[in-house]
């Protein structure tokens, strides 16, 4: 992969591409690991976006209206006010059809997970409208969870 064409600002992005995506032994690494999940599907590289598009099209049965392009967004939902809760999603993305995605992998600690899903979902839905826009302009938000 040409570093100049990469939109990933990580100084190690070329290293990740060379050692992970091109490594024939990558099947030995479990995809249920948060770090691996993020590096396979959440990087702003062509390979990662292609993998995420294929993955979402399969699990969401999108053969009639497939996702064709996707933008990986900053996964941090920053506070608006000091008392707000800042959240970090595993993967936040937007398709060319303006559909927002929150894709989460959870391995344990499910005690408060339903409440966290509501919190994350509310913040994602809020991103689909700009100040002053009518609610009929609200874009679609999809939440994908792996437990």
């Amino acid at each position: 992969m040409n570093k100049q064409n990469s939109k990933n600002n990580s100084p190690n992005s070329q290293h990740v591409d060379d050692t992970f995506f091109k490594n024939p032994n990558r099947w030995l690494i479990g995809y249920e690991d948060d770090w691996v999940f993020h590096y396979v599907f959440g990087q702003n590289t062509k390979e990662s976006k292609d993998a995420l598009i294929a993955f979402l099209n399969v699990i969401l049965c999108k053969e009639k209206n497939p996702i064709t392009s996707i933008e990986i967004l900053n996964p941090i939902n920053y506070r608006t006010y000091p008392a707000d809760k800042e959240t970090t999603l595993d993967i936040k993305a937007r398709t060319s059809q303006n559909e927002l995605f929150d894709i989460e992998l959870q391995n344990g600690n499910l005690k408060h997970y339903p409440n966290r899903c509501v919190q994350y979902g509310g913040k994602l839905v809020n991103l689909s409208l700009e100040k002053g826009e009518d609610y009929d302009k609200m874009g679609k938000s999809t939440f994908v969870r792996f437990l």
Side-chain angles (χ1 to χ4, degrees):
M1 178 175 171
N2 183 343
K3 279 188 178 180
Q4 293 174 347
N5 291 338
S6 174
K7 292 183 180 177
N8 188 336
N9 294 328
S10 169
N12 295 323
S13 63
Q14 184 65 37
H15 175 73
V16 170
D17 292 339
D18 289 343
T19 61
F20 191 79
F21 285 110
K22 297 178 183 175
N23 185 335
N25 295 319
R26 70 176 184 240
W27 62 272
L28 296 171
I29 302 169
Y31 288 100
E32 69 279 357
D33 181 275
D34 286 355
W35 183 88
V36 174
F37 185 78
H38 176 74
Y39 270 89
V40 171
F41 299 109
Q43 296 298 299
N44 203 14
T45 63
K46 180 184 180 332
E47 295 88 352
S48 187
K49 289 193 254 184
D50 287 348
L52 182 59
I53 288 169
F55 184 63
L56 291 173
N57 282 333
V58 168
I59 65 168
L60 299 174
C61 302
K62 291 221 169 245
E63 59 274 344
K64 291 182 181 175
N65 186 21
I67 297 167
T68 56
S69 68
I70 201 159
E71 173 188 8
I72 305 296
L73 303 172
N74 182 346
I76 301 171
N77 294 317
Y78 295 103
R79 303 170 197 205
T80 304
Y81 302 100
D84 287 350
K85 180 160 181 66
E86 185 174 285
T87 58
T88 303
L89 310 180
D90 286 348
I91 299 171
K92 181 166 53 171
R94 182 187 320 265
T95 67
S96 56
Q97 294 91 7
N98 209 28
E99 182 176 359
L100 289 167
F101 282 90
D102 170 18
I103 303 132
E104 300 286 328
L105 176 71
Q106 183 67 31
N107 285 324
N109 191 14
L110 298 175
K111 183 177 179 182
H112 301 290
Y113 192 70
N115 292 339
R116 187 164 33 129
C117 288
V118 171
Q119 170 80 8
Y120 287 8
K123 288 194 176 224
L124 192 69
V125 169
N126 283 338
L127 291 175
S128 68
L129 283 177
E130 296 294 326
K131 184 177 180 177
E133 280 187 303
D134 290 332
Y135 289 103
D136 65 340
K137 304 291 186 222
M138 184 179 292
K140 184 176 180 182
S141 297
T142 301
F143 313 97
V144 179
R145 304 288 186 257
F146 296 98
L147 304 177

